[in-house]
Amino acid sequence: MNAASQSLSHSSLAYRPDVDGLRAVAIISVVLYHAFPFLLPGGFVGVDVFFVISGFLISSIIFKELEVGRFSFADFYRRRIRRIFPALILVLCVCYAIGWFTLMATDFKMLGKHLAGGMGFAQNIVLYREAGYFDTASELKPLLHLWSLGVEEQFYILFPVIAWGVWRWRGALLPVVLGLGVISFVAGVQKLPSNASAAFYVPQYRFWEILAGSLVAYWSVFHPVAVTRLRQCTALREALALLGFVLMGIALFVIHEARSFPGYWALLPVAGASLLIAAGAESRLNRVLLASRLMVWVGLISYPLYLWHWVVITYIRIIGADALTIVSGTVAIVLSVLLAFLTYRFVELPFRRARSSLPKTAILVSLGAMVAAVGMLSFIKSGLPFRPGLADKVKARETYAQYFENSLPEWAYFSRAGIFDAYRMECDFFDLESYRAGHKSEEPRARIDAGCYVPDTATKVMIWGDSHAQQFYYGLRQVLPDSVSILQVASSGCAANFPGRAQDGKAYCDRSNQFALEVIDKEQPAVLVIAQAYGHDSINSFVELARTARRAGVKRVIVVGPVPHYEPFLYQIVIRKHWNDTPRRIKDNLIQTFSELDERLERKYSDGAGGFEYLSAMRHFCNGEGCLIYLGDDRRTGLVTYDYGHLTPPASLDFAEQALGPRVMANLELQ
């Protein structure tokens, strides 16, 4: 959402307060969702509503100026810069300043990259290239929300050129706009199953939402008589507004994170917003509700409120190293609204009204370029780990944090801790090399190392699953005798499953699981170990997997339950909450759903009820006092997980020695 969604005081457009009110509905939905997601599970669709509003307003301006013969690219982009840059530059500068004193270098380095991406209106592309199994949690990215700004600005670069190019054939304008919208929608729907990140972030898959607003603008500008007659029909006008309101309401409460989005589900908010705009300012819902003074006021500050709210929420979470509570969430909302009002009142309005001989556009572009350059410098300099102004205690924490620094493309922690070998990533069908180079691919690697599936001995144990299965290899290899070959087919983000059932239709996951089943059928390992990060027994069926393995000749199947999951990363919790006195165990910041899941699975599959043995990793790492933070005497090298929940090599060894290894050996002795 960007400043194009602000009410535009343009001579060719009649001001519609109800559109400001619709904008208020959108921003309230987004802010409530980010602060209290349980209240409004589909609140994130407010961004889709902003897309429609932006398409309507901007296209109305372009179409009217083309119609009267005074469209100018220079004027168009000058207006966009003057609208967008003032508030954006302010928020980015404040965000950077806070990060300077509060963020560890890893996060500050990422902030620098996102600063440049946000100012360059390419944040959606930056985030798409980052998205993956090893990506930092989105809650730690203060400028995550600028992805939508990127989508809109990329549309504004292309659409005026297209509209101007086909204007000489006026009859072609509607088919072109409609055709582009249909192509964009169909492409997004087709892309969603195989690459959800691309369908969400990449502009060509989201342009149809903005073009929906363009279609409403087309009819309003070029067929005003027909539109007027439609709106004069009270029953039809009210029906359109009511239907639009209902569709948006359904979207807000029925859509949630687990839905495949955008895809077909995005039709609800997009159609709802389009219908409300098309119904006109005189429909009762629009006139009474959306055009009310409070809603209009919220709509007027919606752009700076959008810019501020996620920055405020994220820094509260980062500094406090905790999820938002009712109190902190309320504080975040109040502070965001206050900052938005001050920005609107003392930055946007004065800049808009100022009569100055200074080249305002050139000044804004220069300031924006400076912000982007500072961001890139911070990124290139690895987050300036010992930047001036940091207190000594912050520098001590920074030294600790640098040990776990693992950003792409270096993957320094992976190299330092030997994760590539410990997790046996040569057995992973995910194209790690391309991902590391910034070119994530859903296609499988051509092959994995032969040592992953060709045994050296007659006795064989096999590991199958995702990286949460990979993490057990290091410990097992140290514990099991050399007479036992450990086979492994485990790919990042791929729960053990049957081919064709991979989440998001990932081709490399289907290939990984197909190959795993082939290895199981051919080698008939004595013991099969299955583990995964998420979706235990919901995205797959442990009973079916165990039954299939036993039919193929596997004697024993062990399913390892989830390990403790933390939010934020465990080392960040130590730094921000337990630095001066680090306990051996903690209860805070644990994602409790995994503990509850483990208890359910343990009850359900006790005594081999599912045809396999269930081994609780939670029971090993956690007790009544909390979950283990570190092993031995060093809270750095002995940390149990290096991120939200992947085990470090020492933790893998400890689990293998005390729990998994003895269970495997006991099953081998039963053969």
Side-chain angles (χ1 to χ4, degrees):
M1 174 265 182
N2 72 16
S5 298
Q6 287 290 89
S7 55
L8 298 170
S9 56
H10 193 269
S11 59
S12 60
L13 282 181
Y15 173 64
R16 285 185 55 178
D18 61 302
V19 174
D20 270 330
L22 182 59
R23 189 177 303 112
V25 172
I27 191 60
I28 290 171
S29 301
V30 172
V31 172
L32 281 179
Y33 170 74
H34 285 151
F36 308 116
F38 57 89
L39 289 179
L40 207 61
F44 56 86
V45 305
V47 172
D48 304 85
V49 176
F50 280 128
F51 283 161
V52 176
I53 296 171
S54 296
F56 171 72
L57 294 174
I58 291 300
S59 298
S60 295
I61 291 175
I62 294 172
F63 293 158
K64 281 187 173 291
E65 291 188 346
L66 286 172
E67 188 177 37
V68 298
R70 58 184 180 88
F71 175 77
S72 164
F73 285 104
D75 287 342
F76 177 81
Y77 292 117
R78 186 182 300 113
R79 289 195 299 267
R80 300 283 63 74
I81 290 169
R82 292 181 178 182
R83 282 302 224 174
I84 297 165
F85 277 43
L88 178 62
I89 290 172
L90 172 64
V91 172
L92 292 181
C93 288
V94 173
C95 185
Y96 185 82
I98 296 173
W100 181 280
F101 296 103
T102 62
L103 296 182
M104 297 296 106
T106 300
D107 296 330
F108 196 65
K109 176 181 179 180
M110 181 179 294
L111 177 64
K113 179 169 66 169
H114 292 176
L115 202 75
M119 197 67 246
F121 307 111
Q123 179 72 327
N124 56 322
I125 305 302
V126 172
L127 291 169
Y128 168 63
R129 295 183 66 178
E130 288 178 354
Y133 201 58
F134 302 100
D135 186 26
T136 300
S138 60
E139 289 79 8
L140 302 177
K141 298 177 178 180
L143 299 177
L144 174 80
H145 60 317
L146 297 187
W147 72 268
S148 63
L149 195 68
V151 171
E152 289 193 359
E153 297 313 310
Q154 288 150 23
F155 178 85
Y156 297 153
I157 291 173
L158 296 174
F159 185 70
V161 176
I162 294 172
W164 177 82
V166 300
W167 179 247
R168 66 189 67 184
W169 305 283
R170 298 190 183 188
L173 186 58
L174 178 60
V176 167
V177 173
L178 182 60
L180 289 175
V182 171
I183 292 171
S184 173
F185 173 73
V186 172
V189 168
Q190 293 180 340
K191 193 69 173 178
L192 187 61
S194 61
N195 194 336
S197 295
F200 190 88
Y201 286 123
V202 178
Q204 61 262 35
Y205 305 123
R206 303 303 293 263
F207 279 171
W208 69 273
E209 301 181 44
I210 308 177
L211 288 167
S214 300
L215 288 172
V216 178
Y218 178 90
W219 288 105
S220 299
V221 172
F222 298 117
H223 299 280
V225 175
V227 171
T228 299
R229 288 176 179 174
L230 180 151
R231 291 171 178 169
Q232 287 175 341
C233 178
T234 304
L236 181 57
R237 181 185 69 206
E238 300 302 331
L240 288 178
L242 180 60
L243 179 58
F245 189 79
V246 170
L247 290 177
M248 285 184 55
I250 294 173
L252 291 171
F253 291 98
V254 173
I255 297 175
H256 50 76
E257 282 187 334
R259 304 283 191 193
S260 294
F261 194 86
Y264 290 110
W265 284 106
L267 286 170
L268 287 172
V270 170
S274 299
L275 288 173
L276 279 166
I277 296 173
E282 294 306 313
S283 68
R284 185 171 181 81
L285 269 173
N286 290 1
R287 185 179 72 253
V288 176
L289 177 62
L290 296 184
S292 64
R293 292 183 63 181
L294 178 60
M295 295 296 282
V296 170
W297 182 81
V298 174
L300 289 173
I301 67 167
S302 61
Y303 174 52
L305 180 53
Y306 185 81
L307 293 179
W308 280 116
H309 87 282
W310 184 249
V311 174
V312 172
I313 288 173
T314 306
Y315 272 124
I316 287 177
R317 298 196 65 177
I318 290 174
I319 295 171
D322 218 338
L324 289 183
T325 63
I326 297 296
V327 173
S328 61
T330 303
V331 169
I333 292 176
V334 171
L335 180 58
S336 299
V337 172
L338 176 61
L339 289 170
F341 169 71
L342 293 175
T343 302
Y344 175 74
R345 176 66 180 81
F346 296 107
V347 176
E348 288 193 305
L349 286 182
F351 192 89
R352 190 182 310 168
R353 296 169 178 171
R355 302 294 182 184
S356 173
S357 59
L358 295 175
K360 292 191 291 186
T361 303
I363 291 173
L364 288 172
V365 170
S366 298
L367 289 174
M370 291 172 60
V371 170
V374 168
M376 282 308 300
L377 180 63
S378 300
F379 175 72
I380 294 170
K381 294 296 183 179
S382 300
L384 304 169
F386 301 106
R387 47 196 177 273
L390 296 182
D392 290 340
K393 63 178 182 179
V394 175
K395 293 179 180 178
R397 293 202 303 264
E398 184 59 63
T399 301
Y400 182 85
Q402 282 298 299
Y403 181 80
F404 298 98
E405 202 284 322
N406 201 44
S407 58
L408 292 169
E410 295 84 4
W411 265 346
Y413 175 78
F414 277 12
S415 300
R416 182 184 303 111
I419 296 296
F420 296 105
D421 293 330
Y423 276 46
R424 209 178 185 186
M425 289 185 175
E426 71 272 15
C427 305
D428 193 324
F429 273 98
F430 179 59
D431 192 343
L432 288 164
E433 291 76 16
S434 294
Y435 175 65
R436 193 173 183 180
H439 306 290
K440 183 172 68 98
S441 172
E442 301 292 339
E443 296 301 314
R445 293 165 60 187
R447 63 186 63 84
I448 60 175
D449 190 89
C452 303
Y453 55 89
V454 177
D456 297 323
T457 62
T459 304
K460 293 159 284 189
V461 171
M462 182 170 169
I463 298 172
W464 183 20
D466 57 17
S467 63
H468 281 244
Q470 295 172 354
Q471 65 188 351
F472 298 128
Y473 170 77
Y474 177 80
L476 283 179
R477 185 65 285 168
Q478 309 306 308
V479 170
L480 299 182
D482 293 339
S483 59
V484 177
S485 292
I486 302 179
L487 309 180
Q488 179 171 313
V489 182
S491 299
S492 306
C494 302
N497 215 333
F498 296 100
R501 298 187 187 178
Q503 271 194 305
D504 299 325
K506 295 175 181 174
Y508 75 90
C509 287
D510 282 330
R511 173 60 178 145
S512 180
N513 286 323
Q514 176 66 54
F515 194 78
L517 289 168
E518 292 172 2
V519 174
I520 290 170
D521 188 62
K522 179 181 179 181
E523 300 298 338
Q524 301 178 5
V527 179
L528 175 64
V529 177
I530 297 175
Q532 62 200 65
Y534 305 101
H536 297 73
D537 216 26
S538 59
I539 61 176
N540 53 7
S541 168
F542 292 146
V543 173
E544 288 184 17
L545 294 175
R547 183 185 301 124
T548 300
R550 292 199 313 276
R551 286 175 179 171
V554 174
K555 301 300 188 296
R556 307 284 177 179
V557 177
I558 299 174
V559 173
V560 182
V563 300
H565 285 55
Y566 297 92
E567 190 178 31
F569 292 177
L570 184 56
Y571 79 87
Q572 294 168 331
I573 297 170
V574 171
I575 289 170
R576 298 196 178 277
K577 299 185 72 174
H578 303 290
W579 181 251
N580 294 326
D581 184 18
T582 306
R584 183 66 65 173
R585 296 176 180 273
I586 60 171
K587 293 183 178 180
D588 52 342
N589 295 93
L590 280 164
I591 302 178
Q592 293 299 328
T593 52
F594 289 95
S595 299
E596 297 164 1
L597 170 66
D598 178 67
E599 292 175 1
R600 289 198 304 271
L601 292 173
E602 197 169 25
R603 286 195 303 268
K604 183 177 181 179
Y605 295 119
S606 60
D607 302 323
F612 58 89
E613 294 184 53
Y614 181 78
L615 177 59
S616 171
M618 284 285 186
R619 189 173 294 279
H620 173 75
F621 289 107
C622 307
N623 60 25
E625 298 176 359
C627 294
L628 199 62
I629 291 183
Y630 66 98
L631 300 160
D633 298 324
D634 192 331
R635 63 180 177 180
R636 184 182 65 176
T637 58
L639 203 68
V640 169
T641 66
Y642 62 80
D643 58 6
Y644 71 88
H646 287 99
L647 298 181
T648 59
S652 175
L653 177 58
D654 179 73
F655 183 67
E657 289 177 336
Q658 304 297 324
L660 183 56
R663 188 70 64 91
V664 171
M665 289 302 299
N667 280 294
L668 289 176
E669 291 168 2
L670 291 174
Q671 306 310 313

